[in-house]
Amino acid sequence: MSTIPFAFDLSPAGATGSLALLLALGFTLLGLTLSVLGALRSDGRLAEGGRRAAWGVFALATVAIVTLQIATLRDDFSVRYVAEHSMTVSPLWVKWVTLWAALEGSILLWAWVLALYAFILSFTARNDVLRPWVMAGMYLSLLFFVGLNLTVASPFTPVANPPAQGAGPNPLLQNHWMMAVHPVLLYIGYVGLAVPFSYAVAALVTGRLGESWISQIRRWTLIAWAFLSAAIVAGGWWSYEILGWGGYWAWDPVENASFIPWLLATAFLHSIQIQERRRMLKAWNVWLIVGAYATTVLGTFLTRSGVVESVHAFSEGLVGPALLGFMAVVLGLGVALAAWRLPLIRDEHRIDQPISREGTYLAGNIVFLTFALMVLFGTLFPVLVEAVRGAKATVGAPFFNAFAVPLGLLLLLLMGLGPLLPWRRAEGQSLWSALRWPLAAGLAAGLLAYLLGVRLIGVTLTVALSAYNVAGLLQLTLTAARHRAASSGGSALTQLLPLVSSFPRRYGAYVAHIGLVVLALGVAFSSGYKREAEVTLQRGQTESVLGRPVSFLTVVRDDRPEKLSVGARLSVGKELLLPRINTYHNAPAMPVAMPAVLYHPLGDTYATLLAFDPEGQWATVRLIDSPLVPWIWGGTLIMVLGAALTFVPARTPNRAHTPSRQPA
C-alpha cells in the first residue's frame, strides 16, 4: 500500500511530483468551490474563476506526470513506483510505457487525462448557465482521482535505500509495442465519458433538460466512443499478438468491463437523435450516460482491485474500495438528481408507430441495454458468489456466446433498418420500396455464402445482414445523389463528394456502420472457422499441418540485457516464421510466448512456439488458421474514420437536395 508522500525525506522527483499533485488538489477544490458559488449566486466573476482554475489543475497535473516520466527514464529508484516497476536494462519504449503499466502510474494517467478534458472544456464549453455546473462535475471527478494519487495510489512515495536495479515491469507488459497504444486509448475513451456525465449533472441541477445539453455533448460522447472502440480492439490485437492462443476476445472480466460502457455509449449516441428530433427519451438518455460513466469506473475497479482473475488485472489494496465508493457516488448523484427532476424528464410525446426510425432506434437501445446487463451479470456473478458463499465460480465463453450471437445479429438487422425508415411512421408502399433491394441483396449474399460452403447459420446470417446493411446505405446515398444531380445538374456520381461534404454527420455515421459490418464479418468468420493443430517436429522434418507443409529449420537465440529470446524458425508453405519464447530476467519463472503472425487479407499465418529442445533438435509448435481476422482491425479503423468524418464542418447544407426519408 502506498503512503501519504508528505515526508521530508522525499527525493527531488518525489517532492516535485507530490507538491504538484497537492497544488493540483488545491486548484481542484478552488475550482469546485468557485464554480458552485458562481452558479448558485449567478456571479459571472466567480464562475469565471472556477473555469480558469482548470488551467492550474492541468498545468500541475502535467508537472506531476512529466516528473514521474522523467524519473522512470532516468532510473530514479528513490521513487518507489520506479523502483518497483522499472529497471535500467529495459529498452527506452518499455521505460516510457511503464508510466501506466502499474496501479499508481495508471491512476495518475487517469487524473492527467481528466485534467486535460477539463482544460479543453474551459475553452470550448458554451458560455451558458450549464457551464459552471459542468466544470463542477469535472472537478468532482478530479477531486477523487487527484486525491487517490495523493493517498492510497501515490506514485511518489520514497525509497529509503534505493536499489541499484529496479524490479522491472510485468513481462506481459514489456513484450509488445501495443502497450504504448492500448492503455492510452482506453483511458482517453473512459475519461472522455466524464464530460457528458458532467453535462447531465449540470442539466439536472439547472433543470435545463431540453435539447441544449444534448446538442453540446454529442461530439464529446462521439470522441469518447471512438477512442473506446479503438482501445477495445487494440486490446484484442494485443491479446492476439501476445497470448499465443490465436484469439482476440475471451470474455475476460476486464475486457467485459470496457465493453459495457461502449454498449451504453453506443445506445446513447442513437437515442439522443430521438430527443433532438422528437423531444423524447429525456430520462432514458440521462440514465444511459450516468450508467456509461459509472461503468468506466467499474472497469477501472475490476482492473485495479484484484477482485477478478484476469491477465489484465494487476493489483489489489485500498484503491479497489475507493473506486467502488466513487462509482456509488456517481450512481447515487445521478439517481438523486434524476428523482428530483422527474417531472421535467417525463416525455410529453410517445412513439407514433413502432415501424419508424425512432421505433427502430429505441428497439436497438433496448438490445444494447440488454446486452450490457447480460455482460455485467456474467462478469460480476463469480465475484458475488465468492463474496456471499466464499466459493470460486467461473462464467465462461459459452454463457456469453449464447446471448451475444443472437443479440449481435439482431443489432445488425436493426442497424440496417433504422436509416431506411422515415421518422414517425412508415407507410406500406414506401416501406416496401425502401426495403426491397437491401433485402434482396441480403438474401442473395446469404445464398451465395451457402453455395460457397458456409454452413454455420450464424456466419451465413452475418453475411446476409452485412450485405443488407451495405445495400441499404448505398441505396440511400445513391438516391440522395440522384436527387441532387436532378436539381444541380451533372451525374449522380459527380454529386457524391459534394453530398458527403454537405452532410458529414450523416455520411460519417454511414461509414462507421460500414466499418462495423466489416468488423462483424471478421468476428463471424474467425470465430466460426478457426482451426488449429499442434505438432512436434524434428530438425529438418516436414509435416502437413492444416493443409500446408511445415518444416522446423533451426533454433535461434537472442540474449539481451533484459531478456533471453529463443525462437524456432519454421517454413510454413512458402513463408518463414519465427515464433519465440521470451524469458525476462526480472521474471524467469514467467516465460512469455511471442507468436509469429504474417498478416494476409483473407487470413493470417499464425504460429506459436510451445516447447523446444535446448540443443535445437526438436520443437513443438501450434499452427492456427483464423480467416478474416485482419477485417476486425480494418473494420475498427473504418469506424473511427467515420466518427472523425462527422466532425468535419458541413460545407453548404442544402436540404432542398435531400430526399424526405434521409436522416437529419
Side-chain angles (χ1 to χ4, degrees), residues 533-546 548-555 567-573 575 577 579 606-623:
E534 291 183 13
V535 61
T536 298
L537 297 169
Q538 300 296 318
R539 187 171 182 174
Q541 181 186 359
T542 300
E543 290 279 344
S544 178
V545 183
L546 300 178
R548 286 175 291 181
V550 178
S551 303
F552 168 43
L553 303 179
T554 186
V555 165
R569 192 175 299 282
L570 305 174
S571 167
V572 180
E575 299 174 317
L577 284 86
Y606 190 105
T608 304
L609 176 61
L610 301 177
F612 60 90
D613 174 29
E615 303 299 324
Q617 297 304 309
W618 58 267
T620 300
V621 297
R622 176 189 294 140
L623 272 293

Side-chain angles (χ1 to χ4, degrees), residues 209 243 338 449 490:
L209 289 153
L243 300 182

Side-chain angles (χ1 to χ4, degrees), residues 25-37 46-47 49-51 53-54 57 132 135-136 139:
L25 186 69
F27 270 90
T28 301
L29 285 168
L30 177 66
L32 178 61
T33 304
L34 293 178
S35 297
V36 171
L37 288 177
L46 291 176
R51 181 181 75 89
V57 177
M135 296 306 299
Y139 287 129

